[in-house]
Amino acid sequence: MYRKAFFAICLNGFALAFTWGITVTNIPWLFDRVGIRETDLGIWFTIFAALQLIFSQLSGRVIVPLMGTTKTLMLGQLSFAIFPYIFITASNIQVFFLSTIPLSIAAGLIFPTIASSTNFIENKTKRIYQTYQQASFSFGFIISGIFASLFFYINLYPPHIFLGLIFFLLLIIILTYIFGLTPENDYYEKLAKFKIPEKKVLFFGLNLAIFMGTVGIMLEWTPLWLKTDLNASLYIASLSILCWGGGEFIGRINGEKIVNTYGVKFAAGYFGLFGCLIFFISILSANVYVIIFGVFLFALSTSNFYPVVLMQGLKYTRESISITAANITTIAFTGFLIGPAIIGFTAETFGLTFNVIALCFIWAFNALLFIYFMNQVNK
């Protein structure tokens, strides 16, 4: 029963990452079609961040306690299925901004629910599943990179691609219903009022917010950066998504073994510092192929940061799992949305290359911050 339920969770993670990977590789096409500027994309991410905050809290405090995890995931995917067509067929900036509404609802419902339901299964089975669950996201980015490159190669019209994504997400809803936890075995909690999260939860949430900000920049701006600053073709630029997903997938599939063998500070801290240095060196080479390989190594070394930090936050909390998961993921994905938004506002002034270099220093600081947090909570 729990294996089937975990399969449903992974399907939702895969679908989210796959759809988002296809979306970000088509942003340059939408830029040319609608005349969107970097600043407009920054505003889009800002709106997304604000709305996602609201729906994440509603998910953990109201919707999951009332509906359970399976129905919440299905509702989130239904909202997500509306997003692709609005996004890719936007004929003006107003419709482009409107596409943030179904996307923010989906993110707010799906991300905290995936985290809390995975933790529920971990408690039932006494295994580490967060790393494998995060691997489903990475696998989604791998497949999206392959499909995006194929779509560009055969010159498939983007609106037709996104129409296919709608049917794909509807299929995920059906499979979630089939494999997800049944109502009598699902995870429910009491309704909870809002209050300021615990100090430790805020610490780990901040850690993840900075991390997700860097990941958001890598995923959402790297194809555009490679195309505009290094003159790479869309076909080559889309390979950065494939390499990021590949690095994360390999690291996360081996995440349980890495954590058990070397500990959480190595898995989420020291290993990432090494990969960050390699990526920084690759940027200085100004060679597209070296940079893409650097993206792969950076993703591999930082792959277990999110699941490890999330596990620590859920481990040290005194509140309910669904509320803690909602709080942590809300804070974390604020970074995922605000980080790329900041780049949208600064790219026109400083350029994308400068921002990607700055990203390396920010990530190194965050890895050291996690190591400091772990030393503090273990005192």
Side-chain angles (χ1 to χ4, degrees):
M1 176 181 66
Y2 294 118
R3 285 185 179 180
K4 288 174 59 179
F6 185 65
F7 176 67
I9 293 170
C10 290
L11 278 177
N12 279 268
F14 171 83
L16 210 61
F18 176 78
T19 303
W20 189 245
I22 295 294
T23 300
V24 296
T25 55
N26 280 278
I27 284 177
W29 180 86
L30 197 62
F31 262 54
D32 295 335
R33 178 174 176 269
V34 184
I36 298 170
R37 300 171 301 168
E38 285 86 352
T39 304
D40 297 324
L41 189 59
I43 296 172
W44 188 88
F45 282 122
T46 303
I47 297 171
F48 185 15
L51 293 175
Q52 189 266 345
L53 281 171
I54 297 171
F55 290 109
S56 288
Q57 289 298 311
L58 284 175
S59 174
R61 297 176 183 278
V62 179
I63 299 176
V64 170
L66 289 176
M67 299 179 59
T69 61
T70 299
K71 291 180 181 177
T72 302
L73 289 174
M74 292 171 63
L75 183 62
Q77 290 294 350
L78 180 61
S79 179
F80 198 33
I82 300 171
F83 160 73
Y85 191 75
I86 298 176
F87 179 85
I88 203 65
T89 59
S91 57
N92 54 61
I93 196 67
Q94 290 78 18
V95 177
F96 176 67
F97 288 150
L98 183 66
S99 68
T100 61
I101 297 176
L103 181 59
S104 61
I105 293 173
L109 295 180
I110 294 173
F111 282 120
T113 305
I114 282 178
S116 60
S117 55
T118 300
N119 183 263
F120 174 69
I121 293 173
E122 285 181 328
N123 292 335
K124 292 290 184 179
T125 59
K126 308 303 178 185
R127 290 281 307 275
I128 294 176
Y129 278 111
Q130 291 289 357
T131 56
Y132 296 109
Q133 176 258 310
Q134 288 294 308
S136 69
F137 284 93
S138 304
F139 188 60
F141 283 120
I142 293 173
I143 302 302
S144 72
I146 294 173
F147 272 80
S149 297
L150 176 63
F151 293 153
F152 285 131
Y153 181 76
I154 64 177
N155 199 28
L156 192 61
Y157 188 48
H160 293 165
I161 298 172
F162 281 72
L163 186 62
L165 286 176
I166 294 174
F167 291 100
F168 166 69
L169 294 172
L170 292 176
L171 175 62
I172 295 298
I173 294 173
I174 297 172
L175 293 175
T176 300
Y177 176 77
I178 294 172
F179 292 103
L181 290 171
T182 58
E184 59 270 18
N185 295 308
D186 208 341
Y187 176 61
Y188 299 92
E189 287 185 342
K190 295 180 180 179
L191 295 177
K193 296 180 180 180
F194 177 80
K195 65 178 182 178
I196 301 299
E198 300 168 276
K199 185 177 179 180
K200 291 177 182 178
V201 171
L202 287 173
F203 278 166
F204 289 119
L206 172 63
N207 221 197
L208 283 180
I210 299 173
F211 170 72
M212 293 305 294
T214 63
V215 171
I217 292 168
M218 290 295 298
L219 293 176
E220 292 156 18
W221 287 99
T222 298
L224 186 63
W225 167 54
L226 293 175
K227 178 179 179 293
T228 57
D229 285 25
L230 299 177
N231 298 316
S233 67
L234 278 175
Y235 171 74
I236 296 299
S238 66
L239 289 178
S240 63
I241 301 297
L242 173 63
C243 289
W244 182 268
E248 281 195 332
F249 182 74
I250 294 172
R252 286 171 173 173
I253 283 295
N254 294 284
E256 184 180 20
K257 184 184 298 183
I258 294 171
V259 171
N260 290 335
T261 303
Y262 301 105
V264 296
K265 286 193 285 188
F266 174 84
Y270 296 114
F271 192 24
L273 286 172
F274 170 75
C276 184
L277 176 62
I278 297 299
F279 180 57
F280 176 72
I281 294 172
S282 75
I283 295 171
L284 298 181
S285 74
N287 183 293
V288 172
Y289 298 99
V290 173
I291 289 173
I292 288 177
F293 183 65
V295 168
F296 171 80
L297 292 180
F298 188 33
L300 175 66
S301 64
T302 61
S303 58
N304 288 301
F305 190 93
Y306 185 90
V308 166
V309 176
L310 179 60
M311 285 190 297
Q312 299 310 302
L314 296 175
K315 174 182 177 181
Y316 288 104
T317 185
R318 290 174 295 180
E319 295 185 327
S320 69
I321 296 302
S322 66
I323 291 176
T324 302
N327 286 333
I328 292 177
T329 55
T330 296
I331 299 170
F333 282 91
T334 299
F336 184 75
L337 303 171
I338 291 177
I342 292 173
I343 300 299
F345 294 118
T346 61
E348 294 183 5
T349 302
F350 300 104
L352 287 173
T353 299
F354 171 85
N355 281 280
V356 175
I357 291 174
L359 176 149
C360 295
F361 289 93
I362 293 170
W363 201 96
F365 165 78
N366 198 43
L368 294 172
L369 193 62
F370 170 73
I371 295 169
Y372 170 77
F373 284 166
M374 291 308 302
N375 290 336
Q376 292 297 112
V377 298
N378 289 323
K379 283 185 178 179

